[in-house]
Amino acid sequence: MEGLLGRGHAPTVDGMTIHPEGPVLFVSSSARGHVNPLLTMAGELAARGWPDVWFAADDDVRGDVEALGSGSVTYVPLGPQARGLNPTLWDDEAYRSATTQSKWKNCVAVIREALDVTVLTEKYLALDAEVERIRPALMVVDSETVYAVDVAMTRGIPFVLSVPYPVSGFFQPLLPKDYPTPLSGLPQRMTRSQRVANRLFRLRFMTLPLHKGMLKKLAAVLKVRKQLGIANPTGGVKAKIDGATAVFAYSVFGVEYPFPAPEKLRMLGAMVPATPQCEEDELTRWLDGRESVVHMGFGTISRLTAEQVHSLVDVARRLEGRHSVLWKLPKAQQDLLPPDAELPANLRIESWIPSQFDVLAHPHVRAHLTHGGGNSVGECLHFGKPLVVAPLWLDCHDLAVRVVDCGAGLAVDDTRTFDAAEVTAKLHRVLTEDSFSERARHWAGRQHEAGGVAGAADLLVEYVAGLRAR
C-alpha cells in the first residue's frame, strides 16, 4: 500500500490520479484515548493531498484539529464535552466507582455513566444535521462514540470503525469460550481457577440490566433510539461489525491475543506521526544531556493518590545515580508532591509535554512506566522501548498481561500504593535484561510492517476510490 498517496500531491491509487468527490468525515468524543488516533490519521490524510477532510468532535477538540494545519482539516463543532463519554469530567465519586479492586464493578460503573440518554440524543441530532450538510463519502468513527456509528448506519454512509483499545473487546461476540474475556485482565494461558473466573466474568455481562438503575437507563435509551429511527435499534455490536467497511485496530497480533476475526479487521499498529514533531527545545536538550531516562506518564484519566505520588517520587530517588526520570504529572496533581527540597535531583516533572512521540523516540529514553492505555502501549512499542505497566483503568489490565506475555515488559502487581520497591525492581529488570529491549524492538518491527498511519491513510483512499467506482 505504501506510495498510494504522495505528500502535497493529488491522491493516487495504483498510479492513477483520483479526484475525490465527497468529504471524508472523522468523528470522535473528546476522550484523549479515542480522539488521538483519529487526529493523527486525519492529519496524515490531509497532508497527503486529500482536499476535503472534516473532523467532528466536542468543542474542546477544536484547537487540536486546527493545529493539524491551516485549513487542511475543517473542524465541525458538536457542542460541549459529554460528561458520560469523557471520564476526565467525572467527579471523584464516579471516578472511584470505576477504579475499584473489582474489575466487574468497574465495568458496570463505566457503562452506567455512559448511558446518558439526553447527551446521546443531543449529540446524535447535532451530528446528523452536520452530516446532512457535509454529505461525506466515508465516515471514520470511534467505535465507542455511539451516536457517530448510529448516524453512519442510519444514513447508509460507508464507515470505518476505529478501536483504540484491545480489539478483542470489540469483537467479544465472536470470541471463543476459552478466550480471555475483555476487561477481565486474564492472560491467554490460564490456570484452572482462572478459566473458571473467565467463564463467570463473561456470564456476568448477561446480568447488566439487573444492576441498580441500569434497566431504567437501558429502557430510556432503547425508547429514544426507536423514536429516532436508528437503523441498529438495539445498538448490537454484530450489526456494527457487519455494516462497517473496515475495523481499524492499533496493535498487531502477537501483542493482541489472536482470535478468529473477519477480513475487514485491519491490524495497523500505533497511529504515530513522523517525528520530531517539535523543534529542539530545553526539554530536548535535557534529554540529550542524560545517558538513560525513564519516562513516567499515566494518561489523562488517571487520578493518582498522595500515597501513589509519594511512592513514585521514591522510585525516582531509588534510580538516582543510574537513571534520570521524566514524569508527566498534571498540574492538578502536583499539589500531592512533597516539597521541592525533598525531590531527588534526577527527577524532572512536567505538567505538559509538547510531544510524547518525540520523548519516546529519543535515544536516551530507555523505558516507559505507564498506566497501560492502548495508545501509550502501542506508541512505546512502536519506538521499540520496553515498559512497566501499572494498570489503573478498565482495558489497562488486559494490556498489562499482553505486555508481559509478548515479552516487552512487566506489570506492577499492587497499583493501590505503587510499592516503590516493586516498581523499582521491575524497572531495573526491563532496563538491564536484554530480552525486554529485544522483544520491544521485535514488536516495533512488526508494527512498522503493519503500516501504521501511512497504511491507514492508504486504505482510506482505496475505500473512497472503490466507492466512486461502484
Side-chain angles (χ1 to χ4, degrees):
M1 293 185 294
E2 186 176 358
L4 291 179
L5 286 171
R7 287 183 178 275
H9 301 285
T12 62
V13 175
D14 295 331
M16 298 179 61
T17 300
I18 64 172
H19 303 283
E21 294 180 2
V24 174
L25 173 63
F26 293 82
V27 192
S28 177
S29 72
S30 59
R32 284 289 122 187
H34 295 265
V35 73
N36 283 349
L38 294 182
L39 286 167
T40 302
M41 207 183 305
E44 175 74 10
L45 194 62
R48 288 169 163 233
W50 199 268
D52 209 359
V53 182
W54 300 67
F55 203 110
D58 300 337
D59 294 344
D60 62 305
V61 180
R62 177 189 292 271
D64 298 282
V65 175
E66 293 175 347
L68 295 175
S70 178
S72 62
V73 181
T74 303
Y75 171 67
V76 181
L78 293 181
Q81 297 181 68
R83 178 187 181 277
L85 304 179
N86 190 343
T88 59
L89 302 178
W90 295 0
D91 57 34
D92 288 341
E93 181 181 355
Y95 176 80
R96 284 193 297 271
S97 70
T99 53
T100 70
Q101 294 301 298
S102 167
K103 297 180 181 66
W104 173 246
K105 289 181 179 179
N106 298 344
C107 294
V108 174
V110 170
I111 294 169
R112 182 180 285 115
E113 288 292 332
L115 286 175
D116 186 328
V117 66
T118 301
V119 168
L120 291 173
T121 303
E122 290 174 351
K123 294 291 183 182
Y124 177 89
L125 293 173
L127 178 61
D128 190 60
E130 294 293 352
V131 167
E132 171 68 20
R133 176 175 68 90
I134 298 166
R135 296 186 178 276
L138 179 72
M139 293 175 64
V140 187
V141 299
D142 169 58
S143 61
E144 296 303 296
T145 306
V146 177
Y147 52 86
V149 186
D150 289 339
V151 169
M153 293 185 71
T154 302
R155 284 188 169 268
I157 299 169
F159 63 97
V160 171
L161 289 167
S162 168
V163 183
Y165 47 86
V167 72
S168 53
F170 186 73
F171 284 95
Q172 181 165 335
L174 305 183
L175 299 180
K177 291 182 179 179
D178 60 348
Y179 192 94
T181 302
L183 307 180
S184 68
L186 290 168
Q188 185 174 25
R189 296 183 181 87
M190 290 180 267
T191 64
R192 181 179 298 178
S193 62
Q194 286 175 326
R195 288 195 295 271
V196 172
N198 188 49
R199 295 191 193 102
L200 292 175
F201 198 91
R202 192 170 301 193
L203 287 171
R204 280 181 128 177
F205 280 100
M206 299 174 63
T207 71
L208 264 175
L210 304 179
H211 286 264
K212 184 179 179 180
M214 195 70 78
L215 187 60
K216 183 178 180 180
K217 281 177 171 283
L218 287 168
V221 169
L222 290 173
K223 180 180 179 180
V224 168
R225 293 177 68 85
K226 184 177 180 180
Q227 291 172 344
L228 292 171
I230 291 173
N232 180 16
T234 64
V237 174
K238 191 175 184 302
K240 297 176 186 179
I241 295 170
D242 292 342
T245 300
V247 179
F248 283 4
Y250 310 122
S251 184
V252 293
F253 283 125
V255 176
E256 170 62 296
Y257 299 146
F259 62 91
E263 291 184 6
K264 63 179 62 179
L265 172 60
R266 302 289 184 163
M267 302 292 283
L268 294 164
M271 293 293 102
V272 175
T275 53
Q277 286 193 296
C278 306
E279 296 181 0
E280 181 177 316
D281 57 8
E282 196 276 326
L283 176 57
T284 306
R285 291 188 289 274
W286 184 86
L287 292 170
D288 290 341
R290 271 80 188 160
E291 183 177 347
S292 178
V293 177
V294 173
H295 176 41
M296 295 198 312
F298 298 91
T300 56
I301 295 175
S302 303
R303 303 178 193 181
L304 301 181
T305 65
E307 186 175 14
Q308 289 170 326
V309 168
H310 281 250
S311 291
L312 291 170
V313 170
D314 192 15
V315 169
R317 184 176 294 108
R318 291 168 184 243
L319 294 173
E320 196 167 9
R322 295 171 292 163
H323 311 281
S324 296
V325 177
L326 172 63
W327 186 3
K328 181 179 178 293
L329 182 65
K331 190 74 174 176
Q333 297 180 42
Q334 291 186 17
D335 291 344
L336 303 176
L337 289 164
D340 289 347
E342 297 178 19
L343 297 177
N346 66 328
L347 174 62
R348 175 172 179 142
I349 296 173
E350 296 285 348
S351 59
W352 181 75
I353 291 175
S355 170
Q356 179 163 283
F357 300 119
D358 287 357
V359 169
L360 291 173
H362 197 283
H364 294 173
V365 173
R366 312 292 186 188
H368 187 26
L369 175 59
T370 172
H371 65 303
N375 292 335
S376 294
V377 170
E379 291 159 11
C380 193
L381 293 179
H382 174 91
F383 292 108
K385 307 296 173 72
L387 57 165
V388 172
V389 180
L392 295 173
W393 183 253
L394 296 176
D395 56 306
C396 300
H397 298 284
D398 290 346
L399 282 155
V401 295
R402 284 155 173 75
V403 165
V404 172
D405 283 353
C406 79
L410 296 170
V412 175
D413 296 324
D414 183 4
T415 57
R416 289 173 299 176
T417 61
F418 287 168
D419 179 74
E422 180 199 358
V423 175
T424 306
K426 288 181 173 174
L427 280 171
H428 179 71
R429 284 192 61 194
V430 303
L431 287 161
T432 59
E433 296 180 21
D434 291 342
S435 64
F436 294 106
S437 294
E438 289 169 359
R439 294 305 291 169
R441 289 193 294 269
H442 167 79
W443 295 117
R446 287 282 304 279
Q447 285 213 46
H448 299 165
E449 291 168 3
V453 66
D458 291 344
L459 285 169
L460 294 179
V461 173
E462 284 189 2
Y463 297 150
V464 176
L467 293 170
R468 292 185 66 241
R470 289 181 183 176

